[in-house]
Amino acid sequence: MGQFPINLEEAIEWLASFGGESDGGVTRTLYSQSWKEAQQALKGWLEEAGLLANYDSIGNLFGRLPAANPNAQTILIGSHVDTVKSGGKYDGAYGIISGILALIQLKQQFGPPAINLEVVSFCEEEGSRFPLALWGSGMMTGIYSFNDIRDIKDSEGISFETAMMAAGFGLSEFRVRNDIHTFIELHIEQGPTLEKVEKSIGIVKAIVGQKRFRITVNGESNHVGTTSMKWRRDALHGAVNMIHDLYKSVKEYDEDLVSSVGQLFVEPNVPNVIPNQVQFTVDARHPNESVLRSFCQQFTEMFENHAKKLDLELKVEMWHEVQPAQMDRKLNETIQRICTQNNFPSHWMNSGAGHDAQLFARICPTTILFVPSQGGISHSPLEYTSTQDLENGLGVLIQLLHQLAYNC
Ligand code: HGY
Ligand code: MN
Ligand code: MN
């Protein structure tokens, strides 16, 4: 391969090399060295492809295929460049790479569009370094301002601002754009549905809402051997009762409700000491905001009862929430027509994963389309999508953009 990839398959491996790990996973967290190298490499690729490349003031990277008309609006396509810790090669990366390849092909075949076409590599979506997610699209859609990151630190105590400035960003005002006419994201499904129903393209009706919590349970550390059970204030005993009931109560709702405890820390984490503090996370999701809200209220009350029974202190902090978002029906019907014309079997579905498209749906016609994930696996080094499936998605994206930006 030359300095820059010439096709999808090469590009996936090329981008995965930034933050690539020996087990085939990728870790590329916001403003880290591998994140900077990846954004810089993408910028080089954009420039080599003859697209106008630039960063905004927080590190979102753009590549623009300008319209002949200088007052034209912009169709934005893309996804996020950051990953979860030890994530896969496709989550986010596929949407950026397919956006670049689509613009390269459209530029070669049709020249300047009637509406600006711009690919974006959002700086952050996962929330995997700092307790804040969707930073890139959140700033672009007015959800966030610089005030929202003021007191945020990562697990090593590095502040968001320090990391942002060290990467060369956050040094000037953020300019909110008013020219975004449509947003389209191409993404792997990250679940098993398309494989199970044997379809090539997922047409997403809605993206579920999500609420993420940090739960802190405080008790009292003491000697495991000399403290009778009735005198203990065992934070881990309380936490396991809470977590057990969380999983039990999820089953009382419809199958669209999902929730998990993904992270758990025990202090002092010593075999013969009664734990005095436990911190764990709760991630809860549902397509309907009021169902999601009532589930979160229910588990909070349950946790309070368990804390009272064992004389423990409880803190429930919601650090991330995003509303469910409907995708644009007209865009989806166009995608459906393209799939039919190309004999790509398609399937209308919801997205259980959150995406940047969720925020853009608040400000402009937006949709996200999926390609299958092998075994439904994602957020793992085992994440895999076949080249044929990747190419199918890219083919639909190119034809969709041609219809939207040239034949309009
Ligand atoms: O967690 C999510 O839903 C997404 O992958 N960030
Ligand atoms: Mn993800
Ligand atoms: Mn993603």
Side-chain angles (χ1 to χ4, degrees):
M1 181 179 100
Q3 191 188 2
F4 297 109
I6 53 166
N7 60 39
L8 242 176
E9 200 169 6
E10 265 190 22
I12 292 285
E13 296 307 322
W14 170 78
L15 190 51
S17 68
F18 301 98
E21 291 159 335
S22 53
D23 63 357
V26 183
T27 299
R28 208 169 41 231
T29 55
L30 180 62
Y31 302 136
S32 63
Q33 189 52 30
S34 58
W35 176 94
K36 275 188 289 192
E37 288 165 4
Q39 287 291 64
Q40 274 306 92
L42 285 165
K43 186 168 186 289
W45 187 18
L46 291 166
E47 286 161 347
E48 194 235 28
L51 300 168
L52 303 176
N54 72 303
Y55 287 108
D56 66 13
S57 67
I58 61 168
N60 290 320
L61 174 65
F62 299 89
R64 191 177 178 84
L65 176 56
N69 164 8
N71 305 317
Q73 289 213 298
T74 301
I75 296 174
L76 190 65
I77 53 183
S79 195
H80 57 95
V81 74
D82 69 312
T83 70
V84 294
K85 292 200 170 67
S86 197
K89 296 175 182 171
Y90 305 85
D91 179 3
Y94 173 51
I96 298 165
I97 288 166
S98 49
I100 296 173
L101 291 171
L103 295 199
I104 290 173
Q105 183 167 328
L106 288 165
K107 178 170 181 283
Q108 265 159 9
Q109 259 181 294
F110 307 106
I115 302 176
N116 297 308
L117 286 171
E118 195 161 344
V119 57
V120 57
S121 168
F122 290 117
C123 58
E124 191 281 342
E125 181 268 351
E126 295 287 3
S128 46
R129 176 177 180 184
F130 297 100
L132 179 141
L134 295 156
W135 173 234
S137 51
M139 281 292 273
M140 286 192 73
T141 55
I143 299 276
Y144 291 134
S145 72
F146 281 129
N147 291 333
D148 293 296
I149 55 154
R150 290 281 174 250
D151 317 324
I152 286 182
K153 290 190 167 55
D154 67 10
S155 55
E156 281 150 37
I158 299 172
S159 81
F160 195 112
E161 267 177 309
T162 307
M164 180 165 62
M165 291 186 166
F169 299 102
L171 307 168
S172 60
E173 272 310 297
F174 185 81
R175 189 176 64 84
V176 180
R177 296 180 47 175
N178 54 17
D179 64 321
I180 311 292
H181 163 289
T182 299
F183 177 69
I184 297 163
E185 185 169 5
L186 182 52
H187 205 285
I188 54 169
E189 178 202 338
Q190 299 183 290
T193 305
L194 288 175
E195 205 174 49
K196 285 196 185 313
V197 299
E198 294 177 4
K199 303 284 187 196
S200 315
I201 300 288
I203 301 176
V204 178
K205 298 174 286 185
I207 302 176
V208 299
Q210 52 177 285
K211 295 181 192 298
R212 299 190 202 176
F213 298 81
R214 183 183 311 103
I215 313 294
T216 306
V217 185
N218 283 314
E220 190 176 73
S221 60
N222 213 324
H223 194 298
V224 166
T226 58
T227 314
S228 124
M229 292 311 280
K230 61 178 180 290
W231 291 328
R232 291 178 182 212
R233 297 181 59 231
D234 183 335
L236 186 53
H237 181 186
V240 292
N241 290 345
M242 293 171 194
I243 295 169
H244 172 268
D245 279 3
L246 176 91
Y247 283 105
K248 211 164 115 233
S249 63
V250 176
K251 294 195 190 103
E252 292 156 17
Y253 288 75
D254 64 71
E255 62 169 17
D256 280 340
L257 179 72
V258 291
S259 184
S260 260
V261 172
Q263 214 173 35
L264 184 137
F265 299 110
V266 181
E267 286 300 332
N269 211 23
V270 170
N272 58 350
V273 177
I274 299 168
N276 69 319
Q277 186 180 77
V278 171
Q279 282 203 318
F280 63 90
T281 59
V282 175
D283 179 321
R285 309 193 185 194
H286 194 278
N288 176 303
E289 175 60 18
S290 58
V291 172
L292 183 57
R293 202 175 315 116
S294 68
F295 171 68
C296 294
Q297 248 145 3
Q298 182 196 348
F299 77 63
T300 302
E301 282 156 25
M302 241 171 13
F303 289 6
E304 282 157 357
N305 293 336
H306 280 301
K308 223 183 295 168
K309 272 185 220 154
L310 292 173
D311 186 19
L312 301 170
E313 282 116 45
L314 174 73
K315 196 161 70 168
V316 178
E317 297 163 284
M318 180 165 67
W319 63 269
H320 178 61
E321 74 166 325
V322 59
Q323 307 288 323
Q326 297 303 315
M327 298 294 100
D328 185 80
R329 178 124 199 121
K330 225 169 125 237
L331 284 171
N332 280 347
E333 283 164 356
T334 308
I335 291 169
Q336 173 73 73
R337 279 196 299 278
I338 292 170
C339 291
T340 311
Q341 287 154 7
N342 290 273
N343 297 320
F344 292 150
S346 56
H347 177 70
W348 292 68
M349 59 193 288
N350 283 336
S351 168
H355 297 286
D356 295 301
Q358 195 149 10
L359 299 188
F360 274 88
R362 304 155 62 98
I363 66 164
C364 66
T366 292
T367 197
I368 181 167
L369 49 158
F370 286 159
V371 293
S373 292
Q374 192 172 72
I377 296 170
S378 181
H379 282 187
S380 151
L382 300 176
E383 189 178 272
Y384 176 74
T385 296
S386 73
T387 302
Q388 186 52 60
D389 282 334
L390 295 172
E391 293 288 1
N392 293 348
L394 175 56
V396 173
L397 179 67
I398 291 171
Q399 292 174 49
L400 177 62
L401 294 178
H402 182 240
Q403 287 193 28
L404 296 176
Y406 289 84
N407 300 351
C408 42

